[in-house]
Amino acid sequence: MRTDTGQVFKLEDYRPNDYLIPQTNLTFRLSPDATHVTALLTVERRDGVSVSAPLVLDGDGLTLKRIEIDGKKVKPADMLASPDQLTIFKPPAARRFQLLIETELAPAGNEALMGLYRSSHVYCTQCEAEGFRRITYFLDRPDILSVYTVRIEAMRDEAPLLLSNGNPVDKGDLGDGWHYASWHDPFPKPSYLFALVAGNLGQLADSFVTLSGRTVELGIYVEPGKEKLAGYAMDALKRSMKWDEEAFGREYDLDVFNIVAVSDFNMGAMENKGLNIFNDKYVLADQETATDADFANIEAIIAHEYFHNWTGNRITCRDWFQLCLKEGLTVFRDHEFSADQRSRAVKRIAEVRTLRAHQFPEDQGPLAHPVRPRRYREINNFYTATVYEKGSEVVRMIRTILGVDAFRAGMDLYFERHDGDAATIEDFIKVFEDASGRDLSQFALWYHQAGTPNLTISSTHNPAAREFTLEIEQSVPPTPSESRKRLMHIPLAFGLIGAGGKPVAYSGVEGASVEDGVIHVRKRRHMVRFSGVAERPAVSLNRGFSAPVTLAVEQKTDDQFFLARHDSDAFSRWQAFNTLLTDALIAAFREILGGKQPVFAARLTELAGSIAADETLEPAYRALALALPGEADIARDIGRNIDPDAIYAAREALALAIGTANRDAFSGLYERLADKAVFSPDAESAGRRALRNILLDYLALQPGGAALAAGHFQSATNMTDRAAALAVLAHRHHGSPEAIKALAAFETTYGSDPLVMDKWFQIQASVPGPQTVDTVKALTSHPAFSMGNPNRVRSLIGTFSSANQTSFHRADGEGYWFFAQTVLEVEKRNPQVAARLATALRSWRSLEPLRQAKAREALLSIAGAENLSADLRDIVERTLA
Ligand code: 0A1
Ligand code: ZN
């Protein structure tokens, strides 16, 4: 485990290395405890660099076995080799030389899952961000692009399949039960994109003919016997390849494209050139074992990794500060893909909900950082919602500002100008400036400045002057190490809506530049005057969520109700209803704290009923509208002095009120939505299931609810319905005979399927109430649970700490204590997963004082542990700072 050195990496310190490595030849002789890696590197001194410049290579826990330069052994006096670094004091005077390095690794004991490791006896690698240095000494940084040739030798029994990046070039027998395969990747790439897989895996094969008529062989490799479960992923891959040709003009460039699913993986998946490695959760699916959400995630992640081939691989990042260059852009691309494959409006609402749930709290807490950070201690901790999700929103805003055509011209220029480069955010912004002639310098602050901007907006109408005025004021809150903020360029899409939901025309506008329904907010304060407006319109603001900001709008409740029924922008219509729900929940929270029973306006519960019944709206949209804001969302809107129990009570009260007011209608609709057709994972069928399942959640609080949910569970023909019913029983009827029976039946049926058991862990870890701390503790001893498997840890401990407000934040602090101990236990094996878990405590300062004190003690107990990893120390210290 890499312990903290206290070193801080700074963007301003970037400089190219003195050396390049244009070619890398690797030979792996695989064995679980003593794999030998021979790296033959062509090293080249950069022009202008002194011949006396030492060559300093990165390592991480390496054992050096042999080192030669141009075929001659390097003398001990001419070098310094530690597990974490290799220095050659005086490399040869010739500009180019050959450096041979042999290292020995023990993949079977690698529980950090970085570098070369084993997952269920399959050898695999994970090199982003700095895992390659756990394989051999190298210039392990993204601006060192090298052409790789890889030879893998293994026992044929143990590893009949041998894969690496690029195209296969050779294979054969070596005698004594050994065999080999060689791969060559003609595209120069950084070391973080290197990959190797060796093992016994089943294959699903297919092919794709590209735009220019080349045939690409496609392979998805999974645990033998599970090939059929990769069918949806394969279909998603082919759709992704086609879409990237149509939407971005991007064609695939190798003869083969392989995907391997492994069951131990730190993240979702990895875009290694020509050999994507996936967490099997994002590959394996059928109706029996996967939910509609799983299918949608598979489609999105397959697309994401595939799209990286151009945005990440062909054009990579100069350094890790530029991570958003590939991630924000690729998330934007996968969002657009999903929007085209599914319902655009529903997709947008879901994206915004995710952004608010994950990125807003990050941006508003101690871990806030710019989309392009300027410093880091541990880069693994910067694979964040800010870099990914906000990074995607920034790209979306560029498109909004430029318009679709100029945006596409900018993207074309990006691919043309930077193919083969390790590029920067400045390069990216420049292509859009050059393609459109616009000045994006103020806009670029979105990359450089942390924090969620706020817009305070009020309106006035002067009927005599036929003038409607919007007063808009921007502010950006201070964030760690950035107390003073500069004014941003915020593209605010809007609509003025009159009676009947028709757009209101205006004859002129002044006070801000307004183009195509977008107000360009650039100053601290704008008075935007619309002339020729006879009647007071309702204003629909931040349509389509055109900017990732918070709004404080002074708006009449009547207008909100009006917008929730009539806004022609689907996102804003959803937003209007969601705002009404949030306002009602916050009011109820205050009533509960004051010892009162909350009462909800009849027109709110009626509106919920009419949205549910509105056949002009797609079912998936109605399901999203009926999903009450989550407890954490409500907490974020309240802001401080949070009492999670009171929030929970407020939310339950509203769910009960809506269900009670609409019982018969919900019940009738629930019956009508029962799916009689053959199962299909398509978005439309999934939408009907989503609506029916949310209705079940409301009806479960009504008389006969437990029996209804139990019936739903028993008659379910797919995992979406089964898991939804199980969650309803476990959450709404905790401890009831129906819940106990269903949990046991589920365990019996799926006990040997780890991915399905993850759902069982998740459902139990999210049961509200103080008792769940004990349930989760007990489940850590369940035979299907393992502290060494990231999916299991995330399902049980991650769900408990980030999706169970009343239990994790138990008033006596027991949730925090258990959590702190568990984080330290996970850290011994896997520091990266532990550090990510620990972020669950990032909003501790918004809790009420007693919980705040207990959360702080738990954080301090982690911080005080000995030999903390760089990963965990970085998170905990920033959280406490
Ligand atoms: N580049 C991947 C994310 C990723 C990052 C680090 C990993 O190793 C620990 C794995 C994957 C993506 O964006 O999908
Ligand atoms: Zn990515």
Side-chain angles (χ1 to χ4, degrees):
M1 180 169 87
R2 211 164 15 146
T3 48
D4 187 36
T5 58
Q7 193 178 354
V8 176
F9 296 89
K10 298 183 181 144
L11 171 61
E12 69 257 31
D13 291 344
Y14 173 83
R15 68 175 200 92
N17 197 271
D18 289 342
Y19 292 90
L20 301 167
I21 307 180
Q23 278 177 43
T24 300
N25 281 267
L26 300 172
T27 302
F28 287 80
R29 191 156 174 96
L30 293 172
S31 104
D33 302 310
T35 288
H36 281 243
V37 182
T38 307
L40 183 60
L41 311 177
T42 302
V43 182
E44 191 177 295
R45 187 180 292 105
R46 239 179 228 282
D47 287 344
V49 170
S50 150
V51 286
S52 61
L55 171 67
V56 185
L57 301 182
D58 306 299
D60 183 358
L62 290 173
T63 306
L64 179 65
K65 287 292 186 187
R66 183 160 64 116
I67 176 159
E68 294 171 4
I69 290 181
D70 292 332
K72 288 201 202 73
K73 207 168 163 238
V74 180
K75 296 198 199 85
D78 294 339
M79 63 167 202
L80 184 65
S82 76
D84 299 342
Q85 202 168 59
L86 173 66
T87 306
I88 312 276
F89 299 123
K90 244 182 125 251
R95 207 171 131 251
R96 269 187 177 221
F97 57 94
Q98 300 287 316
L99 173 62
L100 181 144
I101 299 168
E102 186 181 330
T103 49
E104 186 182 293
L105 322 173
N110 178 354
E111 289 188 289
L113 314 184
M114 290 294 287
L116 178 69
Y117 66 96
R118 298 236 294 176
S119 174
S120 309
H121 301 288
V122 174
Y123 293 91
C124 62
T125 53
Q126 173 55 41
C127 293
E128 187 177 6
E130 296 178 339
F132 192 72
R133 61 185 66 181
R134 294 166 64 99
I135 294 173
T136 188
Y137 294 100
F138 203 75
L139 292 174
D140 190 16
R141 42 188 283 170
D143 61 347
I144 296 292
L145 305 184
S146 194
V147 172
Y148 284 67
T149 306
V150 179
R151 175 180 161 106
I152 311 167
E153 301 177 359
M155 296 284 287
R156 199 186 281 277
D157 281 358
E158 188 189 37
L161 176 77
L162 307 172
L163 303 174
S164 191
N165 314 92
N167 296 318
V169 285
D170 189 18
K171 62 179 176 189
D173 202 76
L174 292 169
D176 284 341
W178 285 74
H179 73 145
Y180 77 96
S182 300
W183 292 77
H184 177 74
D185 180 1
F187 295 94
K189 65 170 177 288
S191 50
Y192 81 86
L193 290 173
F194 165 78
L196 170 156
V197 171
N200 181 17
L201 290 159
Q203 184 199 21
L204 179 69
D206 208 327
S207 64
F208 178 83
V209 179
T210 69
L211 191 65
S212 67
R214 281 185 314 103
T215 300
V216 181
E217 299 303 333
L218 309 176
I220 300 187
Y221 294 89
V222 298
E223 197 183 313
K226 296 200 169 163
E227 296 81 354
K228 280 215 180 73
L229 297 179
Y232 187 77
M234 181 63 89
D235 180 56
L237 173 61
K238 290 193 286 179
R239 285 185 280 125
S240 304
M241 295 178 86
K242 183 129 185 24
W243 185 88
D244 213 14
E245 294 183 341
E246 288 166 357
F248 282 92
R250 296 300 103 201
E251 189 176 339
Y252 187 65
D253 48 15
L254 291 165
D255 305 338
V256 299
F257 185 77
N258 288 321
I259 290 176
V260 177
V262 298
S263 47
D264 302 83
F265 201 74
N266 283 346
M267 308 278 263
M270 180 62 211
E271 70 263 25
N272 317 299
K273 180 82 188 189
L275 178 54
N276 288 186
I277 298 182
F278 269 63
N279 185 328
D280 58 0
K281 171 179 165 63
Y282 297 117
V283 172
L284 304 174
D286 68 1
Q287 84 182 74
E288 178 62 24
T289 55
T291 62
D292 291 325
D294 294 326
F295 280 103
N297 282 333
I298 290 170
E299 180 180 83
I301 296 177
I302 290 272
H304 180 95
E305 306 310 330
Y306 174 73
F307 297 156
H308 266 314
N309 191 52
W310 274 95
T311 51
N313 301 3
R314 290 284 288 251
I315 306 178
T316 193
C317 304
R318 185 192 74 175
D319 52 66
W320 291 121
F321 297 99
Q322 320 296 330
L323 184 57
C324 64
L325 177 74
K326 72 180 179 82
E327 297 305 346
L329 176 55
T330 306
V331 170
F332 171 75
R333 277 152 52 69
D334 85 56
H335 282 177
E336 283 301 293
F337 167 74
S338 296
D340 282 346
Q341 305 286 312
R342 293 163 176 260
S343 153
R344 190 161 273 275
V346 167
K347 173 69 184 147
R348 188 65 187 140
I349 294 166
E351 278 160 24
V352 173
R353 280 175 53 134
T354 307
L355 184 85
R356 286 188 176 139
H358 299 288
Q359 201 276 326
F360 276 24
E362 185 166 270
D363 229 357
Q364 294 163 11
L367 302 180
H369 55 273
V371 171
R372 186 181 69 184
R374 275 180 298 278
R375 50 203 57 216
Y376 61 77
R377 274 166 75 178
E378 175 51 67
I379 188 57
N380 289 335
N381 291 335
F382 281 82
Y383 289 80
T384 60
T386 297
V387 168
Y388 277 65
E389 259 62 47
K390 188 174 179 182
S392 161
E393 294 301 320
V394 177
V395 177
R396 181 177 298 277
M397 285 190 284
I398 296 178
R399 190 181 63 175
T400 303
I401 292 171
L402 264 60
V404 173
D405 294 340
F407 176 77
R408 174 67 198 267
M411 284 302 303
D412 289 349
L413 183 58
Y414 179 62
F415 294 123
E416 188 190 311
R417 190 182 280 174
H418 293 291
D419 186 12
D421 285 355
T424 62
I425 284 302
E426 282 72 17
D427 295 328
F428 185 66
I429 295 170
K430 185 82 170 43
V431 295
F432 294 107
E433 294 194 318
D434 290 353
S436 69
R438 287 193 187 239
D439 173 3
L440 293 175
S441 48
Q442 188 186 8
F443 178 81
L445 286 175
W446 280 103
Y447 283 107
H448 308 319
Q449 209 162 254
T452 309
N454 180 263
L455 294 177
T456 303
I457 304 178
S458 59
S459 64
T460 44
H461 181 243
N462 180 342
R466 295 163 62 90
E467 191 173 77
F468 181 70
T469 306
L470 281 178
E471 183 176 346
I472 305 175
E473 194 169 324
Q474 70 159 293
S475 63
V476 188
T479 51
S481 75
E482 285 178 21
S483 49
R484 292 193 46 145
K485 304 282 185 175
R486 288 153 69 193
L487 294 171
M488 318 264 295
H489 175 187
I490 301 171
L492 183 71
F494 75 106
L496 305 183
I497 307 176
K502 296 256 160 32
V504 167
Y506 50 88
S507 53
V509 56
E510 55 186 57
S513 119
V514 177
E515 297 167 279
D516 298 330
V518 176
I519 301 172
H520 292 269
V521 177
R522 291 168 170 271
K523 298 192 293 184
R524 178 163 316 281
R525 197 160 155 268
H526 290 264
M527 296 288 278
V528 190
R529 292 199 171 79
F530 297 90
S531 46
V533 181
E535 276 182 36
R536 191 184 73 84
V539 216
S540 164
L541 288 163
N542 209 15
R543 288 187 139 186
F545 201 68
S546 61
V549 298
T550 52
L551 297 184
V553 189
E554 221 176 84
Q555 194 157 35
K556 296 197 170 65
T557 309
D558 284 354
D559 281 359
Q560 290 288 8
F561 273 94
F562 176 78
L563 292 171
R565 287 185 193 273
H566 297 293
D567 200 326
S568 58
D569 181 89
F571 172 80
S572 293
R573 184 171 172 190
W574 168 83
Q575 181 63 69
F577 182 54
N578 199 262
T579 303
L580 286 167
L581 293 171
T582 303
D583 292 348
L585 286 162
I586 294 175
F589 165 79
R590 301 213 190 287
E591 279 163 3
I592 287 165
L593 283 184
K596 288 197 229 123
Q597 257 309 102
V599 190
F600 298 96
R603 69 169 171 167
L604 182 67
T605 55
E606 276 162 22
L607 180 55
S610 70
I611 290 174
D614 188 341
E615 298 287 339
T616 66
L617 298 170
E618 38 183 345
Y621 179 95
R622 290 185 262 162
L624 277 175
L626 290 176
L628 295 182
E631 291 156 62
D633 299 320
I634 304 164
R636 204 176 48 253
D637 284 332
I638 295 171
R640 41 191 288 275
N641 227 344
I642 297 305
D643 174 347
D645 293 333
I647 293 180
Y648 174 73
R651 198 170 176 276
E652 288 300 287
L654 181 55
L656 184 64
I658 291 177
T660 306
N662 297 289
R663 183 161 56 214
D664 294 342
F666 279 10
S667 187
L669 185 55
Y670 171 85
E671 292 304 331
R672 288 198 298 284
L673 283 163
D675 217 341
K676 287 170 197 87
V678 179
F679 177 88
S680 159
D682 70 84
E684 216 187 301
S685 320
R688 278 196 305 277
R689 285 188 284 274
L691 180 56
R692 186 160 184 263
N693 286 330
I694 193 126
L695 292 171
L696 174 70
D697 196 37
Y698 282 104
L699 293 168
L701 290 173
Q702 300 299 315
L708 183 74
H712 193 107
F713 180 78
Q714 275 149 19
S715 60
T717 58
N718 56 76
M719 185 49 76
T720 303
D721 291 340
R722 196 172 295 120
L726 187 63
V728 165
L729 283 169
H731 296 178
R732 303 285 191 211
H733 296 280
H734 171 67
S736 68
E738 290 89 342
I740 293 169
K741 198 172 149 208
L743 280 167
F746 195 97
E747 184 188 8
T748 309
T749 314
Y750 301 108
S752 60
D753 187 332
L755 292 177
V756 184
M757 283 304 279
D758 282 345
K759 301 181 196 306
W760 190 76
F761 288 128
Q762 264 168 28
I763 287 170
Q764 294 183 81
S766 50
V767 172
Q771 75 295 334
T772 299
V773 179
D774 297 323
T775 316
V776 173
K777 275 186 200 166
L779 286 172
T780 58
S781 312
H782 191 279
F785 183 78
S786 153
M787 281 292 178
N789 179 283
N791 287 356
R792 296 308 88 72
V793 170
R794 282 187 285 253
S795 297
L796 188 61
I797 314 299
T799 303
F800 166 71
S801 55
S802 62
N804 191 335
Q805 304 294 310
T806 49
S807 189
F808 179 54
H809 299 290
R810 201 167 106 166
D812 64 0
E814 195 50 37
Y816 304 140
W817 276 115
F818 163 67
F819 178 68
Q821 284 163 6
T822 311
V823 166
L824 289 171
E825 203 181 324
V826 173
E827 192 218 21
K828 286 189 214 125
R829 300 159 179 258
N830 192 326
Q832 215 177 94
V833 170
R836 199 161 266 265
L837 268 186
T839 62
L841 275 169
R842 67 185 165 198
S843 303
W844 66 281
R845 280 203 179 83
S846 58
L847 294 161
E848 51 80 21
L850 291 175
R851 285 179 172 87
Q852 212 179 106
K854 295 208 166 6
R856 183 165 176 273
E857 277 172 39
L859 279 162
L860 286 171
S861 80
I862 301 178
E866 273 176 21
N867 292 327
L868 224 52
S869 60
D871 308 60
L872 190 53
R873 178 160 303 286
D874 172 41
I875 293 291
V876 173
E877 288 188 356
R878 279 193 285 145
T879 305
L880 280 164

